[in-house]
């Protein structure tokens, strides 16, 4: 694998040299299967970080500088560097790595080993057993980190992950290529949460690897002052987008129910209960399928296989609706009003079943 360690820098002249040296010192431990390169993306730091990186590039053949004209935020820098690493360096995996000594090179071989064992993303985590926060971080910074993670994990329903804001990760680019990097919700530190969530939603295998995070000893932190608000915005926007689908599914289903009731009554003019019920259910299935495809799940495209899957997964709902209708008629007797009520109740119960099936089977994200 070609592995590119991306290091973003802004005024890290005091740190970047030692950081590069530290990584170079463990390259030999990574094994012959892999080739490691370092890509520093510097936002035109006034302290001359770039010159030092260029000098390191003379010293080591695998160190490259990617100059960025202006400082637009950590996320913006990473996106630019990821694209470069994928398009120009042929990276199979990219690390996110701080320049300031917080991330220790000793973890690189272990994290790469996790990739070899089948992980798609390996996150250096401070919150799994064996990992730790810096001792000298103030209580406020610790609380921000802890609660940031807590909120992200609960709002995004991603309790299985412990450290969603970690700045130390490696991702196989086959997954990164599936993500719309230009439209991450933040160009600052909070892009990390979006990226983590996007990888999770894609179904990437994410493994958290314990690290001791060491506080920087030189230079200043660039942790943005508005980071809390920015992170909350990202977390809640992501959640909202998830709810948007639910909302659309409900609307489509509501319309499908109206279609079904109309057709039920039309069919009933000429047919018996069984035929009217099941043909009208199929009209609703077709209506729902078309609308969900062109609206709710428009990013997924058309396929016959999906239509068949959709029908099969709606079978549970069909059974539920038939039980409600025939059971109800047996209990309450038969009249067109009772039938309409029973059809409606069946639709509602069936819809609950359907939603579970749609999101878990038919339009399931990989
Ligand atoms: N190019 C570029 N542009 N680099 C930047 C920018 C930017 O706008 N902002 C920060 N960096 C670089 C820094 O130079 C450093 O190498 C790295 O990104 C991390 O920045 P720090 O300022 O050291 O961040 P931190 O220590 O406060 O935050 C760390 O912990 C957070 C979790 O608590 C980082 O690892 C974060 O990514 C992480 O979320
Ligand atoms: Mn730092």
């Amino acid at each position: 694998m070609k592995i590119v360690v991306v290091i973003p820098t802004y005024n890290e002249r005091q740190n970047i040299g030692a950081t590069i040296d530290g990584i170079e010192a463990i390259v030999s431990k990574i094994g012959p299967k892999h080739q490691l390169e370092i890509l520093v993306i510097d936002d035109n730091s006034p302290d001359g970080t770039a010159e030092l990186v260029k000098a390191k590039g003379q010293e080591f053949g695998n160190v490259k500088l990617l100059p960025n004209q202006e400082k637009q935020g950590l996320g913006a820098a990473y996106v630019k560097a990821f694209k470069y690493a994928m398009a120009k360096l042929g990276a199979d995996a990219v690390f996110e790595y701080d320049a300031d000594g917080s991330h220790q090179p000793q973890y690189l071989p272990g994290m790469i080993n996790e990739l070899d064992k089948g992980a798609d993303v390996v996150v250096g985590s401070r919150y799994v057993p064996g990992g730790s926060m810096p001792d000298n971080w103030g209580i406020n910074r610790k609380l921000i980190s802890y609660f940031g993670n807590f909120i992200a994990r609960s709002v995004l329903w991603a309790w299985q992950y412990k450290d969603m804001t970690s700045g130390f990760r490696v991702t196989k680019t086959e997954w990164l290529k599936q993500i719309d990097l230009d439209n991450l919700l933040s160009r600052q530190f909070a892009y990390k949460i979006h990226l983590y969530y996007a990888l999770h939603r894609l179904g990437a295998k994410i493994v958290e690897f314990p690290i001791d995070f060491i506080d920087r000893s030189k230079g200043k932190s660039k942790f943005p002052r508005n980071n809390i608000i920015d992170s909350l915005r990202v977390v809640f926007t992501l959640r909202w987008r998830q709810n948007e689908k639910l909302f659309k599914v409900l609307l489509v289903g509501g319309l499908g129910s109206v279609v079904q009731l109309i057709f039920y009554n039309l069919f009933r003019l000429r047919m018996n209960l069984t035929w009217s019920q099941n043909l009208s259910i199929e009209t609703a299935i077709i209506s729902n399928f078309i609308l969900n495809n062109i609206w709710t799940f428009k990013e997924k495209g058309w396929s016959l296989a999906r239509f068949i899957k959709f029908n099969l997964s709606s079978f549970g709902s069909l059974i539920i609706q038939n039980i409600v209708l025939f059971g109800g008629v047996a209990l309450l007797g038969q009249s067109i009003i009772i039938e309409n009520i029973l059809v409606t109740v069946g639709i509602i119960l069936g819809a609950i079943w359907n939603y579970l099936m749609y999101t878990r089977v038919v339009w399931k994200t990989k």
Side-chain angles (χ1 to χ4, degrees), residues 98 100 102 213 215-216 221:
D98 288 357
D100 60 357
S102 289
F213 183 101
D215 195 18
R216 64 161 72 228
S221 168

Side-chain angles (χ1 to χ4, degrees), residues 9-10 40-46 50 65-73 76-77 80-81 187:
T9 53
Y10 190 74
V40 178
I41 175 152
D42 181 64
D43 290 2
N44 209 0
S45 302
L65 172 73
L66 177 62
N68 203 15
Q69 286 72 26
E70 54 170 334
K71 188 174 187 301
Q72 294 163 318
K80 186 170 175 183
R187 292 165 74 75

Side-chain angles (χ1 to χ4, degrees), residues 177-339:
K177 283 175 185 151
Q178 298 175 50
I179 292 171
D180 182 6
L181 295 172
D182 291 317
N183 289 307
L184 293 177
L185 286 164
S186 171
R187 292 165 74 75
Q188 301 192 54
F189 280 42
Y191 86 93
K192 291 199 177 290
I193 301 172
H194 190 167
L195 192 54
Y196 202 126
Y197 189 62
L199 290 164
H200 160 66
R201 293 293 306 177
L202 280 171
K205 185 177 180 221
I206 303 175
V207 170
E208 293 201 8
F209 186 95
I211 60 157
D212 292 323
F213 183 101
I214 302 172
D215 195 18
R216 64 161 72 228
S217 54
K218 294 184 187 125
K220 277 205 215 67
S221 168
K222 283 92 201 172
F223 196 72
R225 225 167 295 179
N226 69 345
N227 190 55
I228 299 178
I229 290 170
D230 196 41
S231 301
L232 288 175
R233 180 182 61 80
V234 169
V235 166
F236 282 100
T237 307
L238 289 171
R239 180 79 259 166
W240 170 248
R241 287 184 178 175
Q242 227 54 50
N243 288 357
E244 193 179 313
K245 283 229 184 311
L246 173 64
F247 188 60
K248 286 180 175 175
V249 165
L250 288 176
L251 272 175
V252 167
L255 202 74
S257 314
V258 174
V259 168
Q260 185 177 331
L261 276 166
I262 291 170
F263 274 89
Y264 180 83
N265 287 285
L266 287 176
F267 290 144
R268 275 301 271 135
L269 297 175
R270 302 187 130 255
M271 296 178 209
N272 65 17
L273 275 181
T274 310
W275 278 102
S276 304
Q277 169 76 334
N278 292 294
L279 284 180
S280 64
I281 289 174
E282 187 59 30
T283 60
I285 287 175
I286 292 169
S287 150
N288 288 354
F289 183 76
I290 292 173
L291 289 176
N292 277 325
N293 237 342
I294 59 180
W295 193 42
T296 319
F297 300 101
K298 60 173 178 286
E299 67 280 4
K300 296 288 168 71
W302 294 90
S303 90
L304 180 64
R306 181 167 290 145
F307 182 65
I308 293 168
K309 248 198 210 174
F310 184 69
N311 269 278
L312 289 177
S313 71
S314 306
F315 197 68
S317 156
L318 181 130
I319 289 175
I320 291 170
Q321 294 187 56
N322 277 293
I323 291 172
V324 172
L325 180 63
F326 289 100
V329 165
L331 282 172
L332 306 169
Q334 193 181 347
S335 80
I336 199 69
I337 292 179
I338 290 178
E339 284 174 38

Side-chain angles (χ1 to χ4, degrees), residues 69-116:
Q69 286 72 26
E70 54 170 334
K71 188 174 187 301
Q72 294 163 318
L74 185 64
Y78 266 121
V79 166
K80 186 170 175 183
F82 288 159
K83 287 184 182 169
Y84 185 88
M86 290 190 282
K88 300 280 159 57
L89 305 178
D92 299 304
V94 285
F95 268 95
E96 289 158 74
Y97 198 92
D98 288 357
D100 60 357
S102 289
H103 299 155
Q104 303 178 66
Q106 68 184 70
Y107 299 124
L108 293 171
M111 290 170 78
I112 292 167
N113 186 39
E114 292 292 335
L115 292 182
D116 289 338

Side-chain angles (χ1 to χ4, degrees), residues 148-183:
N149 261 301
F150 180 80
I151 290 169
R153 292 163 67 211
S154 14
V155 175
L156 296 175
W157 219 301
W159 209 244
Q160 65 272 44
Y161 307 123
K162 309 290 181 229
D163 198 346
M164 297 190 78
T165 62
S166 169
F168 192 3
R169 325 185 264 215
V170 59
T171 307
K172 285 183 178 160
T173 52
E174 62 186 274
W175 293 91
L176 218 48
K177 283 175 185 151
Q178 298 175 50
I179 292 171
D180 182 6
L181 295 172
D182 291 317
N183 289 307

